C-alpha cells in the first residue's frame, strides 16, 4: 500500500470544516484591517531563502527541501530550487519584483503550505500550513512606525479571541537594529569564547559565524551556559528603545496583555526591533501558535530599496489543534438541509427538483431510485439531513411533496413552489 509521506498528512472531513471556519474568520478579520491577499509560488530560488532567512539558521542549514532543476541537456548546470519554508521572503521578493512601493503601504496576507524537514511530532509536520500577513512599504508610507507593530499585535489578539482561543500568551521583545546587533554579537562572541568548546558542535560553529543563533540551541546540556549569556535588552540604542516603548504603550492603552522576554530572538535572521510569539498551553513542547516581527533591512538584503516591514505567520495546524480542544469539527460542519429520495423510475424528476432547490441555496443530498425507502431513510439520517423529501409519480403529478422532519418525525405536504421557503424557515 502506498502511504502519505512521513510528516505530511491528509486533512479529512469533518476536520476540514474547522480549517474552513478558521480561514473564513481570518479573512473576515483581515478585511476589517484592510489586508489584501497575495499568492506567491510554492517554490523559489534557493538563494532567496539563503539570503533572506539566513545561511546559519536551522531552517536554511538543515530543513529545506532543495533540488537542482536540470534542463534537458545533460550539460545543463541547473538552478537550485527550494520548496518555501516560510512566506515572508517570497512576499518581499514579489514586493521588489512588482515595485509594490508605488502603492505606498502594502497590507498583504497569504494562506498556504510551507515545507521544512523537521522531525515530525504532534504539531510539527514537514508540510504544514501558515496564515501569513505582512505590512511593508517605503518609510514614507509609515511602514516603520510602532503604530504598525501595535496594529498587527492587536489584530492577532482580536483574531484569537474571535476564534475562541482566549488563553493565549503574547511574548514580546526587541532584537534591536544592525547597530545594536553588532555590539551584541561582539559581546556574545566574547562570552562564548571560553565556554564554546564544551557546547554542541552547532553552537561551536554558531559562536564563530553567527553567535545570535546560539539561542536557537535545543541541546539540554547547553542551556545553563546559554542562560549566562548577555541579554539583547542591554544593547538597544535610543531609537530602538523608543520604538519598543511606543509599541508597549499602545498595547497597554488598547488593552492587549503581553509579557516581555528578552531571550526571544526568533529563528530567522531578518528580524529587527520588535519580535514576538503567541503561545498556547494546550500545545506542549510545540507551543508557539504563531511568531513574527519587524524586518526593516530584508528588502535591501534581497537587492530591493529600503522597505521597512512587520508581519507574522500563524501555524494553522497548531491553531487547529488548540481549537479542537473546545470546538468539535461537527459543530461547524454544514449538514444537508434536505435528502431527496426518489421512488422507482424517478431519478430524473428528483434531479430536476434537486437542481431547483440547490439554486435557491439549499444543501441537498440526492438519493437513488434503486434504494428502498428504508435505505433512503437510513442514508438521510446518517448524512445528518434535516428533512427527507420523497419523489414519487403521485407527487410529481400533483406538484406537492411530503416533507418529513427527521428529528421530530413531523410530516407536511408542501406545494413545489413553497418547498425552499418551508425548508429555509426551519434552518
Ligand atoms: P516561524 O516562527 O518560523 O516564522 O513560523 C511561524 C509559525 O509556523 C510557528 O510559530 C509555528 O506555529 C508554525 N510552524 C513552523 N514550523 C512548523 C512545522 N514544522 N510544523 C507545524 N507548524 C510549524 C516564520 O515563518 C516567519 N516567516 C513569520 C513572519 C512573517 N515574520 C515576519 N513575517
Amino acid at each position: 500500500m502506498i502511504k502519505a509521506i512521513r510528516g505530511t498528512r491528509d486533512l479529512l472531513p469533518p476536520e476540514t470544516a474547522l480549517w474552513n471556519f478558521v480561514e473564513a474568520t481570518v479573512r473576515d478579520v483581515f478585511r476589517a484591517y484592510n489586508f489584501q491577499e497575495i499568492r506567491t509560488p510554492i517554490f523559489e530560488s534557493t538563494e532567496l531563502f539563503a539570503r533572506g532567512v539566513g545561511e546559519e539558521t536551522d531552517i536554511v542549514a538543515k530543513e529545506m527541501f532543495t533540488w537542482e532543476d536540470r534542463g534537458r541537456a545533460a550539460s545543463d548546470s541547473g538552478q537550485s530550487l527550494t520548496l518555501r519554508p516560510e512566506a515572508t521572503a517570497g512576499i518581499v521578493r514579489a514586493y521588489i519584483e512588482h515595485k509594490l512601493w508605488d502603492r505606498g503601504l502594502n497590507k498583504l496576507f497569504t494562506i498556504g503550505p510551507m515545507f521544512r524537514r523537521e522531525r515530525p511530532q504532534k504539531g510539527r509536520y514537514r508540510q504544514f500550513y501558515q496564515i501569513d500577513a505582512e505590512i511593508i512599504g517605503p518609510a514614507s508610507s509609515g511602514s516603520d512606525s510602532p503604530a504598525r507593530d501595535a496594529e498587527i499585535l492587536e489584530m492577532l489578539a482580536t483574531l484569537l479571541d474571535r476564534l475562541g482561543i482566549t488563553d493565549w500568551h503574547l511574548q514580546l521583545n526587541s532584537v534591536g537594529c544592525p547597530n545594536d546587533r553588532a555590539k551584541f554579537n561582539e559581546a556574545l562572541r566574547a562570552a562564548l569564547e571560553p565556554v564554546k568548546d564544551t557546547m554542541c558542535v552547532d553552537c561551536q560553529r554558531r559562536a564563530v559565524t553567527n553567535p545570535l543563533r546560539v539561542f536557537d540551541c535545543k541541546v539540554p546540556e547547553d542551556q545553563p551556559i546559554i542562560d549566562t549569556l548577555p541579554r539583547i535588552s542591554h544593547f538597544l540604542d535610543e531609537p530602538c528603545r523608543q520604538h519598543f516603548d511606543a509599541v508597549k504603550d499602545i498595547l497597554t492603552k488598547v488593552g492587549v496583555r503581553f509579557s516581555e522576554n528578552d531571550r526571544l530572538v526568533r529563528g530567522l535572521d531578518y528580524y529587527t526591533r520588535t519580535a514576538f510569539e503567541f503561545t498556547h498551553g494546550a500545545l506542549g513542547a510545540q507551543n508557539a501558535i504563531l511568531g513574527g516581527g519587524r524586518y526593516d533591512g530584508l528588502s535591501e538584503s534581497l537587492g530591493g530599496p529600503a522597505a521597512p516591514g512587520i508581519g507574522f505567520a500563524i501555524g494553522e495546524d497548531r491553531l487547529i489543534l488548540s481549537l479542537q480542544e473546545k470546538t468539535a469539527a461537527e459543530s461547524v460542519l454544514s449538514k444537508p438541509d434536505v435528502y431527496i429520495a426518489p421512488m422507482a423510475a424517478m431519478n430524473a424528476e428528483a434531479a430536476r427538483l434537486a437542481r431547483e432547490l440547490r439554486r435557491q441555496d439549499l444543501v441537498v443530498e440526492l438519493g437513488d431510485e434503486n434504494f428502498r425507502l428504508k435505505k433512503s431513510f437510513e442514508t438521510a439520517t446518517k448524512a445528518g439531513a434535516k428533512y427527507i423529501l420523497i419523489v414519487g409519480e403521485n407527487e410529481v403529478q400533483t406538484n406537492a411533496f411530503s416533507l418529513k422532519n427527521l428529528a421530530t418525525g413531523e410530516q407536511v405536504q408542501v406545494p413545489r413552489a413553497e418547498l425552499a421557503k418551508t425548508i429555509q424557515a426551519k434552518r
Side-chain angles (χ1 to χ4, degrees):
M1 190 177 47
I2 300 174
K3 289 191 170 171
I5 304 298
R6 205 165 104 84
T8 74
R9 60 203 181 117
D10 302 307
L11 302 173
L12 306 173
E15 196 191 322
T16 41
L18 219 44
W19 287 71
N20 283 323
F21 162 72
V22 163
E23 288 170 21
T25 308
V26 160
R27 285 172 188 276
D28 246 26
V29 171
F30 285 1
R31 194 176 315 117
Y33 291 77
N34 199 27
F35 277 77
Q36 293 180 336
E37 184 167 6
I38 182 171
R39 298 189 191 194
T40 63
I42 278 175
F43 58 91
E44 301 260 6
S45 127
T46 303
E47 193 190 349
L48 172 68
F49 304 113
R51 270 164 57 184
V53 177
E55 299 270 11
E56 265 302 322
T57 59
D58 281 354
I59 295 176
V60 173
K62 301 179 190 167
E63 297 169 359
M64 296 205 302
F65 289 95
T66 296
W67 72 99
E68 201 151 290
D69 187 43
R70 288 199 290 118
R72 291 181 179 202
S75 59
D76 198 332
S77 62
Q79 188 190 1
S80 180
L81 303 179
T82 291
L83 289 180
R84 61 181 185 193
E86 60 104 52
T88 313
I91 292 175
V92 176
R93 179 204 44 73
Y95 172 88
I96 299 166
E97 190 168 332
H98 304 287
K99 302 188 170 50
L100 297 184
W101 52 84
D102 285 343
R103 307 177 181 198
L105 193 70
N106 291 264
K107 293 170 115 177
L108 304 168
F109 77 92
T110 199
I111 302 175
M114 309 292 152
F115 305 85
R116 296 183 193 176
R117 189 184 275 107
E118 292 194 82
R119 206 166 48 76
Q121 64 182 72
K122 187 180 175 204
R124 192 162 73 192
Y125 311 97
R126 292 183 164 187
Q127 173 173 337
F128 60 98
Y129 293 80
Q130 281 189 347
I131 297 166
D132 182 286
E134 314 287 350
I135 301 184
I136 181 169
S140 61
S141 68
S143 58
D144 57 350
S145 164
R148 300 287 69 79
D149 308 38
E151 184 181 27
I152 284 259
L153 290 163
E154 188 276 324
M155 176 170 84
L156 281 165
T158 298
L159 175 62
L160 293 177
D161 288 344
R162 270 276 284 278
L163 287 169
I165 300 176
T166 46
D167 46 347
W168 48 262
H169 187 79
L170 163 58
Q171 294 193 45
L172 197 59
N173 192 20
S174 174
V175 294
C177 54
N179 193 20
D180 315 326
R181 194 74 59 78
K183 289 185 211 135
F184 184 48
N185 272 335
E186 215 175 289
L188 283 177
R189 262 197 202 97
L192 284 164
E193 184 49 41
V195 289
K196 69 175 197 297
D197 292 342
T198 62
M199 299 179 78
C200 70
V201 281
D202 281 342
C203 282
Q204 291 179 23
R205 195 189 60 247
R206 290 162 174 153
V208 182
T209 55
N210 189 349
L212 190 73
R213 297 273 65 96
V214 165
F215 293 108
D216 300 339
C217 177
K218 308 265 177 342
V219 176
E221 294 76 25
D222 288 357
Q223 299 312 309
I225 300 176
I226 292 170
D227 282 346
T228 65
L229 294 175
R231 294 172 172 271
I232 183 72
S233 54
H234 300 154
F235 292 81
L236 299 184
D237 66 12
E238 198 42 38
C240 287
R241 196 178 303 282
Q242 279 174 13
H243 184 99
F244 194 32
D245 286 344
V247 175
K248 289 185 285 185
D249 184 49
I250 302 175
L251 288 180
T252 306
K253 289 193 172 125
V254 297
V256 173
R257 59 186 194 276
F258 61 88
S259 53
E260 288 183 55
N261 174 1
D262 67 359
R263 284 304 195 204
L264 181 80
V265 296
R266 310 267 302 122
L268 301 90
D269 273 351
Y270 50 60
Y271 289 114
T272 54
R273 297 192 165 172
T274 311
F276 58 86
E277 276 181 7
F278 281 71
T279 55
H280 185 252
L283 293 170
Q286 304 303 321
N287 68 353
I289 321 180
L290 69 93
R294 186 165 270 293
Y295 44 85
D296 291 347
L298 179 55
S299 173
E300 287 106 311
S301 71
L302 297 175
I310 179 161
F312 63 82
I314 302 173
E316 194 174 357
D317 309 72
R318 294 187 192 172
L319 187 70
I320 299 274
L321 278 173
S322 301
L323 209 58
Q324 274 169 336
E325 286 212 327
K326 292 207 188 92
T327 314
E330 277 82 1
S331 69
V332 292
L333 188 69
S334 77
K335 300 272 172 62
D337 293 305
V338 60
Y339 182 95
I340 299 183
M343 309 291 278
M346 282 292 126
N347 265 357
E349 285 299 338
R352 219 155 62 85
L353 192 60
R355 182 169 156 94
E356 280 171 32
L357 296 180
R358 285 168 175 158
R359 286 179 174 209
Q360 294 175 81
D361 211 27
L362 289 178
V363 182
V364 178
E365 188 60 79
L366 183 55
D368 192 287
E369 63 191 19
N370 288 329
F371 286 8
R372 289 172 184 280
L373 209 50
K374 183 163 177 273
K375 178 162 176 185
S376 291
F377 268 90
E378 281 167 9
T379 315
T381 307
K382 197 167 172 195
K386 288 183 201 80
Y387 288 98
I388 187 164
L389 189 158
I390 300 185
V391 179
E393 225 167 304
N394 222 1
E395 281 83 355
V396 172
Q397 257 163 29
T398 58
N399 233 7
F401 297 83
S402 72
L403 190 65
K404 184 166 184 158
N405 184 320
L406 281 164
T408 62
E410 185 195 350
Q411 188 164 328
V412 280
Q413 203 63 15
V414 186
R416 187 176 198 122
E418 282 167 32
L419 273 172
K421 212 169 54 186
T422 311
I423 296 167
Q424 260 147 5
K426 289 279 171 60
R427 251 182 173 177

